[in-house]
Amino acid sequence: MKLAFISDIHGNAVALDAVLNDIKEKSIDRVYVLGDLCFRGPEPKRALNLIKDMNADVIKGNADEWVVRGVQKDEVPEQALEMMNAERDWTYSKLEENEVGYLRKLPNELNLKYENLKIHAFHATPLSLFDVVQPFEKDELLTDKLMINEADIYIYAHIHKPYVRYINGKCIVNTGSVGLPFDGLNQASYVLMNVTKDSFQVSIVRVKYNEHEVISQFKKSNYPNIDMMTKILANGRI
């Protein structure tokens, strides 16, 4: 069984197109989407509807929650709050009410089982859409924050930095980001998982896409934070 886990599209439909083409070429059996579908990109509506048309299991990310109800105090640095709400309002204005309603109703986690393998999937942590757990954290912190439910593989998103790590015989995986990577490589990222009766393999897949097209889309729009977003797209880091 081939599984793909994608996340953090952030309204970058061009990158999502490239990832979906790669998934199709690999004959993947099932796709799961771990949130942050349309906020902070030039094509929020198209990105959201590409996801909806996939018939995939989708969970909510912090950015999906922000689209629904705005960015609240203490969720981001104080100096960024006004700008991020301007970005949220721009994104919201591009969506229909039923599309916002779709985001509102998304669940927060997935508990999956393939063969003898249990997979717990969530956006940031099992208890929060907003907590940040970085790849370099100590084993004890990852265990306390991420490994709450009983599972063999814990897979999350949110930090835009893909990695695979093993702790006490358990596997922790981060998908990275389809549309807005932060690890210095401006290519889309997702996780490919091969599951058989007696084994599993987890790998990070990087996919090239035309970031110049997305930068051009931003520059032709009235998006409130063009300079910052185009720099992230060009450099692959915040």
Side-chain angles (χ1 to χ4, degrees):
M1 178 72 70
K2 288 185 178 180
L3 312 176
F5 293 83
I6 71 174
S7 190
D8 294 87
I9 296 94
H10 287 287
N12 187 341
V14 173
L16 181 57
D17 283 334
V19 166
L20 294 181
N21 286 336
D22 193 74
I23 285 172
K24 184 177 180 180
E25 289 175 3
K26 288 181 168 63
S27 300
I28 288 170
D29 299 296
R30 189 72 182 167
V31 182
Y32 297 95
V33 186
L34 305 190
D36 284 6
L37 310 185
C38 54
F39 177 56
R40 294 202 117 179
E43 292 189 278
K45 187 180 184 71
R46 188 164 84 87
L48 177 56
N49 283 294
L50 282 171
I51 294 295
K52 289 174 68 177
D53 291 344
M54 288 167 56
N55 192 32
D57 289 322
V58 184
I59 62 175
K60 183 185 289 185
N62 63 296
D64 306 311
E65 182 71 4
W66 282 339
V67 172
V68 170
R69 49 83 162 162
V71 185
Q72 296 178 359
K73 187 178 180 181
D74 298 327
E75 291 177 343
V76 298
E78 185 176 353
Q79 66 271 20
L81 183 61
E82 183 178 355
M83 175 58 77
M84 290 191 70
N85 268 312
E87 293 178 81
R88 176 266 175 187
D89 292 346
W90 185 92
T91 302
Y92 188 93
S93 74
K94 303 299 180 183
L95 302 177
E96 304 295 331
E97 183 53 42
N98 67 305
E99 293 164 341
V100 176
Y102 172 85
L103 297 176
R104 182 180 294 110
K105 294 177 182 178
L106 289 174
N108 287 358
E109 64 179 354
L110 296 168
N111 288 289
L112 310 171
K113 187 170 182 180
Y114 286 94
E115 301 292 346
N116 297 317
L117 194 72
K118 292 182 180 179
I119 304 168
H120 190 202
F122 41 87
H123 182 71
T125 73
L127 301 179
S128 171
L129 295 175
F130 300 94
D131 281 355
V132 175
V133 180
Q134 297 284 9
F136 51 76
E137 302 289 1
K138 293 181 179 180
D139 287 2
E140 292 79 9
L141 188 143
L142 269 68
T143 300
D144 291 345
K145 288 282 191 178
L146 304 179
M147 302 169 71
I148 294 174
N149 288 11
E150 179 58 35
D152 302 291
I153 299 177
Y154 301 86
I155 183 164
Y156 74 112
H158 189 50
I159 60 173
H160 299 213
K161 298 174 184 177
Y163 73 94
V164 180
R165 183 165 161 182
Y166 293 86
I167 300 175
N168 297 326
K170 307 290 187 177
C171 182
I172 295 175
V173 190
N174 191 278
T175 62
S177 173
V178 169
L180 211 58
F182 288 171
D183 63 345
L185 180 61
N186 60 352
Q187 296 179 7
S189 174
Y190 74 95
V191 165
L192 173 61
M193 194 179 299
N194 282 284
V195 179
T196 68
K197 184 177 180 180
D198 299 314
S199 67
F200 69 89
Q201 181 183 28
V202 176
S203 56
I204 306 296
V205 181
R206 303 308 290 257
V207 182
K208 291 183 178 180
Y209 73 95
N210 188 350
E211 76 276 11
H212 301 292
E213 180 181 351
V214 185
I215 289 170
S216 178
Q217 289 175 339
F218 266 123
K219 289 181 176 179
K220 292 176 182 177
S221 74
N222 61 344
Y223 192 80
N225 200 7
I226 291 173
D227 288 345
M228 177 179 173
M229 300 312 300
T230 54
K231 286 178 182 177
I232 295 172
L233 287 167
N235 299 319
R237 65 174 68 250
I238 195 165

